Amino acid sequence: MKKETPNYFHQVFEVTRRIPYGRVTTYGTIANYLTLGSARMVGWALNKSFTAENDVPAHRVVNRKGELSGRNHFPMPTMMQQLLESEGVVVENDTIKDLKKYFWDPAEEWEED
DNA sequence: CGTTTGACGGTCC
DNA sequence: CGGACCGCCAAAC
């Protein structure tokens, strides 16, 4: 059973799964938290989130502007926005309205499970 | 093994 | 405010 899942991939998946309901974060924040050095690694890792076995809520991860930059990589481009709205996140024009309001920082130490 | 790309970010103009 | 450019780093080609 070889998963060939690089360390940073695992880290990104784990942190992403730690994102609370109705909360979002950015690639740069995760990258900075994991000290990956580049936010692109986060996006790349999340790209595999679909092929990965884990349930990674990639829709809760947006870019610095709060824009749903990765919606194009979802099974359906509209799925990401629908999921966010379903969680109570106000999304307009493929962009989170009050990003700062829903923003979640991994360094804020999550409330266990 | 060199080049290109990529779900980003920040600075510069 | 927005377009242009560079930096990061790994995978794909």
Side-chain angles (χ1 to χ4, degrees):
Chain A
M1 252 185 71
K2 199 48 171 22
K3 250 1 175 2
E4 291 192 54
T5 309
N7 185 35
Y8 47 88
F9 269 44
H10 179 70
Q11 291 184 91
V12 173
F13 289 154
E14 185 166 284
V15 173
T16 305
R17 279 162 46 179
R18 292 287 122 99
I19 303 177
Y21 182 92
R23 217 59 72 95
V24 295
T25 191
T26 71
Y27 304 98
T29 303
I30 296 175
N32 182 40
Y33 176 68
L34 300 176
T35 58
L36 295 177
S38 44
R40 294 189 164 179
M41 302 290 91
V42 181
W44 202 303
L46 286 177
N47 181 265
K48 290 231 346 188
S49 64
F50 292 102
T51 56
E53 53 188 285
N54 303 313
D55 306 308
V56 183
H59 61 272
R60 292 184 188 153
V61 186
V62 295
N63 64 6
R64 198 20 182 127
K65 300 173 273 188
E67 179 186 314
L68 312 184
S69 48
R71 77 194 151 146
N72 211 19
H73 292 263
F74 276 75
M76 268 310 201
T78 53
M79 194 176 103
M80 191 173 186
Q81 181 172 333
Q82 282 189 41
L83 286 169
L84 288 170
E85 290 185 311
S86 186
E87 296 187 357
V89 179
V90 180
V91 179
E92 187 158 15
N93 195 18
D94 300 316
T95 307
I96 297 177
K97 193 177 171 79
D98 298 299
L99 176 63
K100 183 194 279 184
K101 179 178 174 183
Y102 306 107
F103 191 76
W104 174 82
D105 195 314
E108 287 283 317
E109 69 176 87
W110 46 71
E111 298 182 34
E112 51 237 74
D113 284 36

